[in-house]
Amino acid sequence: MIAEFRLPDLGEGLTEAEVVQWLVAPGDQVALNQTLAEVETAKAVVELPSPYEGTVSTLHAEAGETVAVGAPLIAFDVVGEEEAPVSSDDGAEKAQPNLVGYGAAPTTAGRPARRARRIGGTPAVVDTAVLEAAPHDAAPTVAIDSVVERPRSTPPVRAHAKRLGIDLVLVAAEVGDRLITRADVDAYAERTGARGTRADEAPSIATSVPSSPAALAADERETRIPIRGVRKHTAAAMVQSAFTAPHVTVFHTVDVTATMDLLANLRDDRSLSEHRIGPLAVVAKAVCLALGRTPGLNSRWDEPAGEIVQHNYVDLGIAAATERGLIVPMIRDAERLTLVGLADAVKTLAEVARSGKTSPAELAGGTFSISNIGVFGVDAGTPILPPGQSGILAVGAVRRQPWEFRGDIALRQVMTLSLSFDHRLVDGAEGARFLKDVADILEEPGRAMLLN
């Protein structure tokens, strides 16, 4: 029978997703829970597992195409058991819905096998012409029929290989049946002399800038980029926030020399050598403590209910700049974590965000956010509130400069904090008190012992 798999709701009521790439093709045999495709929502890249075991009949969307939730995505020719019906409240039978991570009961034992990739109906093989044209030591001698599976790699690695003009099938012939890394691609490029634009190589002025505008064709004078994915979601969220919540931003520059000395001492502690504790972790801890004294900054405005909802927990958002755009993943129940725990959470969060594997669940909600603009060398700014939050703190760069200290002028390390808040929920005095609490902890970390 023909069974259709429709795009499920991938979380938080998202209405559509873009097909990044298909990992199967019509005619392929697929196993239950085998990854079918990678799709990009407004928040994350998600792998879709197969809810059926059978043969791929039809792909209803091309790579790069946006599909609405509930629309047909792929069809299977399923041999054997009919799809199990489920009775509704009125006694009628309806099809069992297929959601990500769920599917029909397994009908075969053992681990699902990867299907060999086919191009034009035949298994993919190594391009012998490329191997023959390359230096003799460029690639090892391999059996052509041994490389038949789609090379395993992540989307950023595939994009990097594409920029260099490298076929990952050839790289797979060298590294074997394991996940191909960026280092593998670069090593192959070095050996074969592959040409392309490396991410760490800036094009020269002579080759990248034309001598005059007339040297460019009409279609080369501008680049049009579709508004979709994270960029589309971020734009809509920022417009909604900017024109819904009345923003107020206040600034405070604080002497953080004591905090930097504390971090230096922690780095010298061998028992903490596996943990990377930096200024952002200290700021995160100070924010969690200060929010306990200023609950208005850990609240949201519920317009339909006519209520202010105060959160008795802190789901701390950390803004992260990625290749796909700005995302704000959450550290759940951050107020329960120690300084070391927060440092580990920030590190993990950043690594997952850079890999593009942040899940929609990790991006949902949040009660307060931090934006570390200091990593870009910026001192201060006016951050826009994430929708549904009443406060966001921008953390500036730490700079050594002359500063008044104990009645004299000394060279100290200072940082500027920028707090934006929703003036419907927080008045100026409360916002200033919160900022002062955070600044006091950074100026004298021992003050954290006085807060509860």
Side-chain angles (χ1 to χ4, degrees):
M1 73 174 210
I2 298 296
E4 282 194 337
F5 178 43
R6 298 174 179 270
L7 180 67
D9 182 349
L10 300 173
E12 295 304 306
L14 298 174
T15 60
E16 62 185 20
E18 177 188 338
V19 179
V20 176
Q21 68 166 346
W22 285 105
L23 302 179
V24 296
D28 282 358
Q29 292 286 332
V30 297
L32 183 70
N33 291 327
Q34 179 179 334
T35 302
L36 302 172
E38 291 177 344
V39 298
E40 181 178 13
T41 71
K43 295 184 175 183
V45 174
V46 178
E47 292 183 346
L48 291 181
S50 175
Y52 300 104
E53 179 180 1
T55 304
V56 176
S57 173
T58 308
L59 303 181
H60 289 296
E62 299 290 335
E65 186 176 341
T66 298
V67 181
V69 169
L73 186 65
I74 183 173
F76 302 89
D77 187 357
V78 181
V79 179
E81 298 182 8
E82 295 292 320
E83 187 175 7
V86 176
S87 297
S88 61
D89 294 338
D90 58 2
E93 291 187 345
K94 59 183 181 180
Q96 175 77 32
N98 296 309
L99 302 178
V100 173
Y102 300 84
T107 57
T108 60
R111 183 174 177 268
R114 287 169 54 87
R115 178 68 177 174
R117 180 176 65 170
R118 295 181 177 273
I119 301 176
T122 61
V125 297
V126 176
D127 189 343
T128 56
V130 172
L131 292 178
E132 292 171 0
H136 294 297
D137 60 349
T141 302
V142 294
I144 299 304
D145 292 337
S146 67
V147 186
V148 296
E149 290 191 354
R150 179 182 298 274
R152 298 171 57 211
S153 60
T154 60
V157 171
R158 288 191 287 273
H160 181 56
K162 184 176 181 181
R163 286 195 297 270
L164 294 177
I166 293 176
D167 188 345
L168 287 180
V169 172
L170 302 178
V171 182
E174 294 188 3
V175 305
D177 186 22
R178 67 166 173 80
L179 187 70
I180 297 173
T181 66
R182 184 186 181 96
D184 295 329
V185 175
D186 288 340
Y188 182 88
E190 291 294 334
R191 285 192 294 274
T192 61
R195 297 178 179 272
T197 303
R198 293 277 299 275
D200 54 353
E201 294 177 350
S204 65
I205 295 178
T207 58
S208 63
V209 180
S211 57
S212 67
L216 289 174
D219 59 348
E220 294 178 330
R221 296 192 63 174
E222 61 185 21
T223 300
R224 291 183 173 267
I225 303 173
I227 302 173
R228 58 193 183 196
V230 170
R231 182 66 61 188
K232 180 179 180 180
H233 173 77
T234 301
M238 293 300 97
V239 169
Q240 174 191 354
S241 177
F243 291 98
T244 301
H247 285 58
V248 173
T249 304
V250 292
F251 306 88
H252 185 50
T253 302
V254 57
D255 181 349
V256 295
T257 306
T259 288
M260 302 308 291
D261 290 343
L262 170 64
L263 294 176
N265 291 333
L266 295 179
R267 282 193 293 270
D268 293 337
D269 188 334
R270 292 184 178 181
S271 67
L272 300 174
S273 60
E274 296 182 358
H275 306 280
R276 184 179 177 181
I277 306 176
L280 184 58
V282 180
V283 172
K285 186 62 178 177
V287 163
C288 291
L289 292 171
L291 286 175
R293 289 162 52 93
T294 49
L297 278 159
N298 198 40
S299 305
R300 65 180 174 87
W301 184 275
D302 189 342
E303 184 71 33
E307 297 174 337
I308 294 173
V309 181
Q310 287 190 354
H311 306 292
N312 299 320
Y313 57 92
V314 180
D315 281 352
L316 188 63
I318 305 292
T322 71
E323 292 182 355
R324 298 170 53 241
L326 179 68
I327 62 175
V328 188
M330 307 296 160
I331 299 175
R332 302 294 182 187
D333 297 318
E335 82 285 357
R336 298 184 179 182
L337 299 179
T338 63
L339 179 61
V340 173
L342 283 169
D344 290 345
V346 168
K347 178 183 176 182
T348 300
L349 177 150
E351 291 174 348
V352 174
R354 283 194 297 268
S355 71
K357 296 300 182 181
T358 306
S359 68
E362 293 172 306
L363 296 167
T367 64
F368 188 93
S369 291
I370 297 175
S371 179
N372 186 13
I373 60 176
V375 296
F376 305 109
V378 176
D379 295 326
T382 55
I384 296 179
L385 294 168
Q389 297 182 24
S390 62
I392 179 172
L393 182 70
V395 181
V398 177
R399 300 192 183 279
R400 293 178 63 86
Q401 66 184 54
W403 195 257
E404 191 278 328
F405 180 67
R406 295 178 180 175
D408 203 350
I409 300 298
L411 190 62
R412 306 289 288 177
Q413 299 188 71
V414 301
M415 168 195 291
T416 298
L417 304 174
S418 310
L419 173 69
S420 291
F421 55 86
D422 185 341
H423 217 337
R424 296 174 301 178
L425 290 153
V426 183
D427 58 27
E430 190 174 14
R433 184 166 61 250
F434 169 84
L435 197 57
K436 186 65 165 56
D437 283 344
V438 173
D440 285 347
I441 295 174
L442 297 178
E443 188 171 17
E444 296 182 38
R447 284 182 176 269
M449 302 294 292
L450 302 176
L451 300 178
N452 51 37

